[in-house]
Every structure is written in C-alpha cells, then in structure tokens.
Amino acid sequence: MTPSAPTLILKDRRVAYALTDHSLTVQEVGGVTEIFPVNGTEELVGRPLRELAPELVGSETALEEVLTGVLPRFQLSWVNRETPAGETTYVTLVNLPFRDQTGQITGLLHLTEDVTEIAELDQRLVQQRNELRLLRDRLNRQNEALAAANAELRRLDEVKSVFVSIAAHELRSPLASMLGFIEILLDQQVGPLNEKQQEYLQIVQQGAERLLHTTDMLLDVTRIEAGRISLVLQPANLPEIVSRLVQEFSPQAGAKQQRLVWNPPPSLPLALCDAEKTAQIITNLLSNAIKYTPSGGQITLSLSPAEEEGYLQLAVSDTGVGMSPEDQARLFTRFFRGDSANKTGAGGTGLGLYITRSLVELQGGTIRAESEPDKGSTFYVTFPVADAPAPLNS
C-alpha cells in the first residue's frame, strides 16, 4: 500500500504525533513513533502524555491553558535527550488544541520533531563563527605586538613556551604520585601517625597541591597557545552553575569572615557555552575575589541580560584592595601580577586571568574589569545566549 502524503511528510521531517483526551491520555499516535521514549504504537496508546514527552513535566499549567483555549500553542524548542547508546539528540515539542467537527477542544495534538541534524549544524556554525572572531582579535593583537617587538624577543618567547610545557609535563606525574602516597600515609594505612607527623604531612600535601595546580595552569596556557583547547558548546543553565560554585566557595569565604552574596535571577534564557570551561572561568574570578578581599569584606555575584543583545552578563564584585589604571592595562597578560598581590601577600603565577580571558573568548564572550585602588573591583563576563530555533509549523 502506497503511503499517504501526510505520512511521507511526517517521515521526511521526522515528526511523531499523539492525540490525547482532556486528561492528557494518549488516544492515537502516528508518524515516526520511535522518537518517543517508549516505542511502538500499541504500547503508547492509553499512556499519559508525560511518558511520551517527559520534558513536559512541570508545564501542566501551560498545557491546561492550551486545553481551555487560553493559549494557541505551547512549545519547547531544542530539548536535548540522551539515547540508550549515550548519544545526544535534540527534539522540538509542540502542543496544539485538537478540535472536533463542532469546533470544541477535545484534547491536545502533540508533535515531537527530531531536530538533531539542524541543532548539530548550528552548533558547528556558532563555534566556527566564534573561532573566526577569535582569530580576528588575535591577529589584531599580534600586529600590535609585532610593531613593538624584535626577532630576538620572539625567539626567546618561543624557547620559554617550550621550556614551560616540558617542565610542566615532567612535574605533573611525580606530583600526582606524591599526593597519592601522602594520602595513604595520612589515612594511616601503613601505620599510625602522631599529631605532629600528621601536621607535617598536611603541610607537605598543601604544598604539593599548590604546585600541581600551578603545573595544570601552565599546561592550560600551552594548550591555549597551541590551539588544542576543545569546547562542547551547548545550552546551559548559568544560574545553576553559579549557585553550585557559590556553595563550594562558601566555606573558603567564611574562613575569612567574608560575606558571599548571590541572588539567582528568576528567569533567564540558556547560555550557549561549555559548562566545564564556564565553571573554570567563574572559579578563577571567585578565587581571586576572596584572595584579594580583606577579612570582613563582601563578594557579590549578579547575572542579567548584557547591554549587547544576545548575551548574558555575569558580574563578580568585591570590596578588596582594588587595582591602579596601570595594572588594569596589563591585567589579562601572561605572568602579570599587580601591586595588589604585594599588598595582600597572596601567592599566584599571574596566569589565572590570562587563561580566564582565553576561555571566555573561545566561547564567543568578552571580559573586562573596573576597579579603583582600595575600593574593590568588578569583573564583567558575557556569554552568548542559546539561539531559539524557528517554530514548528502546525
């Protein structure tokens, strides 16, 4: 039997549909039903709609408004799902009122469209656009640097980078082994320790951890400069990432009697970013704010739409020692440490903000700072908003 035109269209667009009654119980299904989490038409009929589209859980009010005619449609765009094989797919969910011949709403027409191909293509295009933008900015900076540099300085810089990379790699493995054996000793797996021995081992452990952190930063720098940093750009909930990190840093701030202020915004679009690299960015900014803020000070985080359309802006403010205009001009360069480091006696390599700026720009965002000596600092970071796709036609 030759398939009908609507069937061919549904198959070509990879769309599955389900008709429900007023209680949102499925009465009929069709199209590419393997998109639904439960496959097979017989098993789907009679099930609650939420089992076919679990992402609708929590949207009951909107669905009720569609059923009563208050809303003409309710749509969730580019919802990511993970298959049993561990692959990520994307679907768009559309819910429309279904009317009988008299025009009365008898239930919902639910459509699920597989938009994985479009979503993956869009991700690749966005990342390529960001990389092109980064290449353009790098070229401008390199041209300015070349005007003020000579061949000998460039040669020395290359030698230094190679040395840093080799040294960091050679240090990391023995440091990791040392930390493992220290942990075994502190756990007293090879015999009991007295209080003094435990104290000395903890001092050694802290020193080794700082050195391991330094080697990791050096390796990050070499990866960035070699273009070997890989990103996974996907829609992410920035308030959730910030909230988790604020919770992690609360004990550290509390140890200095500092107040950590964060009021999550009620409603913001998702950001298009690499969640792991974004957490690293926020970690660096929070760590610096706590480090350069005296005891009893305050660190405040806020998240809002940026002035530039299509971006979100994170602000990290502190009541710390601040920075001079001269220090701010060199703030995001490699190995730079300002006068504020000397005032507080804080340790560091001068690489954290260089790495932070690189990770921000690789994701298509920007970073800047405002500061005055003895009046604190504010760092502003922007993240692109995850673009919403075109609506599914009914």
Side-chain angles (χ1 to χ4, degrees), residues 203-224:
I203 293 172
V204 175
Q205 184 183 46
Q206 291 168 3
E209 287 174 345
R210 283 196 298 271
L211 190 54
L212 184 61
H213 177 66
T214 299
T215 59
D216 286 339
M217 294 184 74
L218 291 171
L219 289 172
D220 278 343
V221 169
T222 57
R223 292 188 189 104
I224 288 169

Side-chain angles (χ1 to χ4, degrees), residues 14-230:
R14 287 194 58 75
V15 175
Y17 74 87
L19 296 178
T20 77
D21 57 16
H22 260 283
S23 66
L24 299 182
T25 300
V26 176
Q27 304 297 310
E28 178 183 339
V29 295
V32 188
T33 56
E34 60 264 26
I35 297 175
F36 293 134
V38 181
N39 198 9
T41 58
E42 293 182 2
E43 293 84 359
L44 296 176
V45 174
R47 288 177 176 268
L49 179 59
R50 65 176 179 273
E51 293 186 13
L52 278 66
E55 296 83 3
L56 294 177
V57 173
S59 303
E60 289 79 6
T61 300
L63 296 177
E64 182 62 28
E65 289 177 346
V66 175
L67 282 170
T68 56
V70 175
L71 280 180
R73 66 190 286 141
F74 174 67
Q75 176 171 324
L76 295 176
S77 301
W78 285 11
V79 177
N80 61 300
R81 287 177 175 173
E82 187 167 333
T83 67
E87 299 175 347
T88 300
T89 61
Y90 296 85
V91 294
T92 290
L93 309 178
V94 177
N95 300 276
L96 304 167
F98 185 72
R99 302 176 186 271
D100 61 14
Q101 295 178 348
T102 66
Q104 296 297 314
I105 298 176
T106 60
L108 288 184
L109 169 59
H110 170 82
L111 302 174
T112 297
E113 180 182 17
D114 185 344
V115 294
T116 302
E117 184 176 350
I118 298 174
E120 291 177 346
L121 178 61
D122 184 77
Q123 275 204 350
R124 289 196 294 270
L125 289 174
V126 168
Q127 184 163 357
Q128 288 174 359
R129 183 173 71 238
N130 291 340
E131 289 172 351
L132 287 173
R133 177 180 174 182
L134 177 62
L135 288 173
R136 181 197 64 197
D137 293 341
R138 280 184 175 174
L139 182 61
N140 290 337
R141 288 196 296 270
Q142 286 174 352
N143 287 337
E144 293 173 1
L146 285 173
N150 57 46
E152 180 63 16
L153 285 176
R154 290 196 301 272
R155 186 188 70 81
L156 291 175
D157 191 57
E158 291 172 0
V159 170
K160 180 181 66 176
S161 294
V162 172
F163 170 77
V164 166
S165 178
I166 294 173
H169 276 288
E170 290 298 319
L171 282 170
R172 201 182 191 290
S173 294
L175 279 172
S177 297
M178 285 173 57
L179 284 168
F181 284 113
I182 291 171
E183 186 173 349
I184 290 173
L185 291 173
L186 285 173
D187 289 342
Q188 303 189 42
Q189 297 180 27
V190 294
L193 299 173
N194 60 42
E195 186 175 339
K196 206 67 176 177
Q197 290 171 330
Q198 292 184 40
E199 179 185 348
Y200 291 158
L201 275 175
Q202 287 168 352
I203 293 172
V204 175
Q205 184 183 46
Q206 291 168 3
E209 287 174 345
R210 283 196 298 271
L211 190 54
L212 184 61
H213 177 66
T214 299
T215 59
D216 286 339
M217 294 184 74
L218 291 171
L219 289 172
D220 278 343
V221 169
T222 57
R223 292 188 189 104
I224 288 169
E225 293 179 344
R228 297 200 305 269
I229 290 285
S230 60

